[in-house]
DNA sequence: GCGACAG
DNA sequence: ATCTTGTCGC
């Protein structure tokens, strides 16, 4: 897949000020409503499906994107899946020009991700990106930045909350399938306080008391609503905390990392 | 000045 | 994210 909005390609040489200005522009362009060809119910694990009319329908292409690092190099891996099966894998290695700065992650990792996406022969119907989407100070997290730049539906899947107010405390975890709404707070300067910007999602939980799994933080990246973003994550999770496409991309990045000079 | 902060 | 063995718990 290709860049559709060249002006949004993350440029690490920009000043912090310019980066933030670009993010506000990206947020205005982003669509936090459903505009995708994926039905979460058919996104899970049985590859070929059948429609009500008996027509053969192929499951949507759901891709996972994740990065690994080796010194000043970022390795971005993309794994495209369809009904749980791997359709294609691609990865790219790019130098990181700036350090990790909360709120500006896309300017550090975005370039490598776009490079990996451009090597894909199949265009995913939706991308699960590691990190935040709309749950961001200017509603332009990594998932949103990437989604808007290539104009593909994206979902942000993070392990920690960047900002925003959970409807209930997230400590201790919840039963599997639980979703706790996260609302915009003062830290999210571009949204009206109270706006539903994402969910804490419990994709997995231990049976007994003592130990517990923390929920994932899911938010819309682009062309996906908060509800659908969570539906997709729950539908593609298969017994583990991370959704399958993300887990696959995770280890693909680690493998690729091994072969980096 | 203090706090808060994805990967 | 990354550096890393054992260890606690199911």
């Amino acid at each position: 897949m290709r860049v559709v909005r060249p002006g949004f390609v993350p440029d690490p040489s920009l000043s912090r000020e310019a980066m933030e200005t670009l993010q506000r522009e990206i947020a205005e362009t982003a669509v936090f409503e459903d505009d995708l060809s994926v039905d979460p119910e058919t996104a899970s694990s049985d590859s070929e499906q059948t429609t009500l009319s008996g027509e053969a329908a192929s499951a949507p292409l759901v891709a996972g994107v994740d990065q690994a690092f080796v010194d000043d190099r970022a390795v971005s891996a993309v794994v495209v899946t369809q009904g749980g099966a791997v359709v294609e894998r691609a990865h790219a290695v790019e130098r990181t020009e700036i350090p990790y700065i909360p709120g500006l992650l896309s300017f550090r990792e975005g370039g490598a991700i776009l490079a990996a996406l451009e090597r894909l022969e199949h265009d995913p119907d939706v991308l699960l990106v590691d990190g935040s989407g709309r749950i961001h100070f200017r509603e332009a997290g990594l998932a949103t930045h990437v989604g808007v730049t290539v104009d593909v539906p994206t979902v942000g899947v993070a392990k920690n909350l960047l900002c925003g107010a959970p409807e209930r405390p997230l400590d201790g975890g919840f039963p599997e399938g639980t979703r706790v709404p996260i609302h915009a707070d003062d830290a999210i300067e571009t949204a009206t306080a109270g706006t539903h910007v994402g969910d804490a999602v419990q994709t997995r939980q231990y049976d007994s008391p003592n130990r517990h799994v923390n929920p994932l933080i899911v938010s819309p990246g682009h062309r996906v609503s908060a509800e659908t973003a969570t539906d997709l994550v729950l539908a593609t999770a298969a017994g583990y905390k991370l959704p399958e496409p993300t887990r696959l991309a995770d280890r693909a990045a680690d493998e690729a990392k091994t072969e980096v000079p």
Side-chain angles (χ1 to χ4, degrees), chain A residues 26-35 144 148 220-225:
Chain A
I26 288 169
E28 287 176 13
T29 306
V31 173
F32 301 127
E33 295 175 358
D34 290 328
D35 177 19
T144 300
V148 170
H222 180 47
R223 294 169 54 177
V224 180
S225 64

Side-chain angles (χ1 to χ4, degrees), chain A residues 164-180:
Chain A
E167 213 166 81
R168 299 180 262 152
L170 304 181
D171 308 305
F174 308 90
E176 282 184 10
T178 302
R179 50 182 90 194
V180 177

